[in-house]
Amino acid sequence: MTAALAAAAGAVGFSHSSLASPTQANSAVNLAALSMDSGEQLSGITTARIQARQLATRDSSRVQLAGNETNKKQAAAAQLAKARAAKLTATQALTAKRASALAQAKAKAELAEKKLRESATRCEMMLSGYHITATFGQGGSRWARNHTGTDFAAPVGTTIRSVMKGVVIHADWAGPYGRQVQVRHEDGTVTTYNHMSKFSVSVGETVYAGDQVGAVGMTGNTTGPHLHFEVLRDGGEAIDPMPWLRDHCGLNP
């Protein structure tokens, strides 16, 4: 600063050593300039320097404020990104947990279904869409002796299913019975399926209740397409299938 300004600054109580920054120096200069005798004028160069310092100080303050604002925005963005990452991690963990629970539930249901399917006591009706045309013990010219089973009439090709779990012990032509399948069940009872148009099983195969063993046909001695169903106690004597289906299997044809 000029000697006059320095003197003026000294007159108002500022020393060069006490001015810690350009801002303080500019303020001191301005104060000194205002304190000068009104007749004394600053030179053009000094005035320009003062103005330049003031502008530089304002620009520096603006830069500092802008930097602070940028830092705040960056900090806020970082905080938002962190929150989003935490939310994504939580969502992924929840999704994985739900997927695991669903897989366990599915596996449990499949195991229960498998156990039910393989149960030796589960029963299924042999066919659907039928009507009964002959019953056990019925006499008539169609049979050499009294009827040994129950006839379920249905269209050719209708699926015939095993009534219970068992092992196929016969799958072949059986004279007047036509194509015949016999299944031995775990309690020793044998069920027979007769007059079929085709086989779906072979000897030695394990079948479960509801598994297809063949299809309705007209093979052997028959006047129309039907399933002739027999129940043989311990594989020997034929018994009335209707009470057996009701009492043993809980089915009511």
Side-chain angles (χ1 to χ4, degrees), residues 125-136 138 142-143 147-161 173 175-181 192-199 213-230 241:
M125 193 60 195
M126 298 81 67
L127 73 171
S128 58
Y130 63 86
H131 64 277
I132 296 174
T133 56
T135 57
F136 180 81
Q138 184 176 339
R142 290 181 293 171
W143 308 289
H147 198 230
T148 55
T150 301
D151 288 349
F152 298 85
V156 171
T158 300
T159 297
I160 297 176
R161 298 179 289 267
W173 187 270
Y177 288 103
R179 290 190 178 92
Q180 181 191 72
V181 166
T192 74
Y193 311 81
N194 305 277
H195 306 306
M196 295 193 294
S197 61
K198 67 175 183 179
F199 303 129
V213 295
V216 171
M218 294 179 60
T219 58
N221 295 343
T222 177
T223 58
H226 70 280
L227 163 66
H228 174 81
F229 178 71
E230 291 189 3

Side-chain angles (χ1 to χ4, degrees), residues 71-89:
N71 291 339
K72 288 180 181 179
K73 289 181 178 178
Q74 289 175 342
Q79 188 67 23
L80 180 60
K82 184 178 180 180
R84 286 177 176 172
K87 185 177 180 180
L88 178 60
T89 299

